[in-house]
Amino acid sequence: MADRFSWQRFLAVVTKEFIQMRRDRLTFAMMVGIPMLQLILFGFAINSDPKGLPTAVLVADTSEFSRSFVRALENSAYFKVTMQPKNEAEAERLIAEGDAQFVVSIPENFARQLMRGERPAILVEADATDPTAVGNAVGALAQLAQTVFDRDLQGALRPLQGKPAPFDVQIHRRYNPEGITQYNIVPGLMGVILTMTMIMQTGLAMTRERERGTMENLLATPVRPFEVMAGKIVPYIMVGYIQVTLILLAARLLFQVPILGSVMLLYTVVLAFIAANLAVGLMFSTVAKNQMQAMQMTFFFFLPSLLLSGFMFPFRGMPQWAQNIGSLLPLTHFLRMVRGILLKGNGFLEIWPNLWPIGVFLLAVVAIGLKRYRKTLD
Amino acid sequence: MNDALAIDVAGLSKRFGELVAVDDLALQVRRGEIYGFLGPNGSGKTTTIRMLCGLLTPDSGRGTCLGYDVIRETRQIKLNVGYMTQGFSLYQDLTIRENLDFTARIYGMPNRQEAVEESLRRLGLADRQKQLAGNLSGGWKQRLALAACMLHQPRLLLLDEPTAGVDPKARRDFWDEIHYLAGQGITVLVSTHYMDEAERCHRLAYIASGRLLAQGTVSEVIQNSGIVTWTVECADLYALGAQLRGLPGISQVVPFGNQLHVSGTDAALLEQSISPFREQASCRWTKAQPGLEDIFIQMMEGADRHG
């Protein structure tokens, strides 16, 4: 009979669990508060149909037709003309650095050729490293070409209306012409995997010392905080490089991802990214009371990195405030650098705008970590 | 500053929120002596030791440890003091040798290899050097911890309950080692709960609720305690004990095997209270010297009452 289910024993366990849950305030906050925060944050931020994509327009023809076309682009809501480069070189730089998602080139004598019925071509170059970011915009472009000049083609030009369109829109999907998702995802995964493992490992490193009581021993020695932090970081930097190498090999051999840029450059910039993540882990471990909390904090940081960095969803699809949050995260900048180097063949000058923010992030986090690391047990 | 003193602190206080862990403590430990640090759990022994080696900053008070200021020169103190924590605080997932090697590196020892070899040999750990520290028994862990905190040749050892949970033979060996070290001129401050260990110290201090209640040699502590103890052997000890408890002048009635120890602070009042029982033929009363334990329990209860 003693083996039967006992309400009293069951309630004893339930009560004990609730008491323990309430004692661990941070865990409780993570379970109740953080999910709400994330729901609101991600719910409003994520949008897989990005609009208002920054577009550079290179116009060599100052006719009414050119103006109509640009106006139609903006009316479609997918394009937002933010730049007017003076020449092709400047346009090229804008798309290589990722400032422009599209470059629209309207050739000289466009209007004249159109009116003669010679079907001139407008060139639209898209940065297709992330195929989903440009997919819908390109679709809208085809629609728009059909009807854009109907209002301009009146009177004698009326016969030019209708099918086929009186001009041609040539779309170049740059960097990833076939729109292969892996080209975008695989280099991105490098950043995601590094973020996950680097933060978690170092996050546990210091809390482990505290939980096992070895911290007290370490604090009683003359070792300095910076020596401990640096000493804990270096082994994981090596682990990070092993991961980068494996992912690069897999990207090339298994997924046939092109490697256009310098691998040496990638290995150099990866150092800043790894260091930034390790510093986050160490900072967490100076705050977390135990390994469990360090783990929770890792996820707290990891989720926005995953969702707001442009890894899972197009960065430009997010509202401005969410883009601002995303811009603080190292993963956002690393993704742009790794895609830039591998797919676009970016050199140092093109990636620099994304390198320094990681450096600033690193310095800030190390400063907080060193401040939080206590030399005493007080 | 007094050169003959390894530890010389006064007015040391530390509070954690509402709790006063250490209250206006003064401590003087001479160079080369073994100083026992006694007190009940939570009396502030560990907090005091941590303040002495720079792990905690005192809220008030001042003093020196090996001539270095306990507040400003913690770095020098750390370099010259060996601290053995209450729990095992070496790396369980490193081997014995790896732990010692790590410690030697942290202290930047110039002749690291020799120091580690020497340490392994002296503690008889040489043939187990590749064993993981986590797999050692309590006694061996304690020997390893002592070896690690002795590695950088400190002049002062702070040992926080080093023999808790260790068998009598290992405790005996451990104390022989401590006496050997004291013979080499090293000062040892050791906290303990064991009265037999207290008696092996040159001098000792007793603290309760963060306050120092007694200090001196064992015999000084006994003499100054003002406690009188009688022992009685009797047919029905427990019945007698129940009758004695609560009588004026009797503060403790403690059974020790076939005897009761009856103690109090007022000799005349105590004798008056026990006199009716001394008539009983079946009981044999003897005046005895109080043990350290009788004294400390007396002090602890006194501290609770006044505190």
Side-chain angles (χ1 to χ4, degrees), chain A residues 208-209 212-224 227 375-378, chain B residues 14 50 53-57 75 78-79 83 85 88-91 93 102 106-107:
Chain A
R208 197 184 299 132
E209 298 255 8
R212 295 191 185 167
T214 53
M215 199 62 187
E216 186 178 0
N217 202 16
L218 206 57
L219 286 173
T221 71
V223 75
R224 291 179 189 279
E227 291 159 355
K375 262 191 278 190
T376 60
L377 290 168
D378 293 78
Chain B
K14 182 77 188 175
R50 284 176 174 171
C53 66
L55 274 178
L56 286 176
T57 318
R75 202 168 163 74
K78 285 177 180 181
L79 278 169
Y83 170 45
T85 54
F88 183 69
S89 62
L90 294 174
Y91 297 95
D93 48 356
F102 173 74
I106 287 285
Y107 282 98

Side-chain angles (χ1 to χ4, degrees), chain B residues 31 86 174 204 254 307:
Chain B
R31 281 184 198 255
Q86 203 171 85
F174 188 80
L204 46 89
V254 187

Side-chain angles (χ1 to χ4, degrees), chain A residues 102-244:
Chain A
F102 293 95
V103 173
V104 176
S105 305
I106 301 177
E108 256 180 290
N109 301 326
F110 175 76
R112 192 161 359 127
Q113 291 180 351
L114 182 90
M115 287 185 285
R116 286 187 197 151
E118 290 174 6
R119 289 185 49 85
I122 289 178
L123 177 65
V124 177
E125 294 168 281
D127 176 351
T129 43
D130 184 356
T132 52
V134 296
N136 288 346
V138 169
L141 202 58
Q143 291 272 313
L144 163 161
Q146 288 296 331
T147 54
V148 57
F149 294 144
D150 283 1
R151 210 154 48 87
D152 296 316
L153 298 171
Q154 297 296 341
L157 297 171
R158 204 174 172 91
L160 287 171
Q161 278 190 26
K163 292 170 195 176
F167 68 106
D168 208 16
V169 178
Q170 288 182 0
I171 297 167
H172 277 196
R173 294 169 191 266
R174 299 279 302 271
Y175 313 122
N176 185 3
E178 291 154 80
I180 298 171
T181 314
Q182 272 89 346
Y183 284 14
N184 182 50
I185 293 297
V186 174
L189 275 172
M190 184 189 288
V192 171
I193 291 169
L194 284 173
T195 302
M196 183 76 196
T197 50
M198 296 293 106
I199 293 181
M200 183 138 63
Q201 287 309 314
T202 46
L204 297 181
M206 199 80 87
T207 39
R208 197 184 299 132
E209 298 255 8
R210 207 169 303 136
E211 251 183 289
R212 295 191 185 167
T214 53
M215 199 62 187
E216 186 178 0
N217 202 16
L218 206 57
L219 286 173
T221 71
V223 75
R224 291 179 189 279
F226 183 74
E227 291 159 355
V228 175
M229 285 185 95
K232 281 180 176 292
I233 280 184
V234 166
Y236 292 109
I237 290 183
M238 292 178 65
V239 173
Y241 269 112
I242 293 172
Q243 290 181 334
V244 169

Side-chain angles (χ1 to χ4, degrees), chain B residues 1 15 30 39 59 74 92 96 98 106 117 147 155 170 173 178 181 192 273-274 298:
Chain B
M1 195 203 81
R15 53 174 67 234
R30 297 174 195 141
D59 292 334
T74 54
Q92 312 245 10
I96 292 172
E98 286 161 349
I106 287 285
E117 293 293 345
R155 288 181 284 142
D173 293 345
I178 289 178
L181 293 172
T192 180
S273 287
I274 63 173
Q298 182 76 41

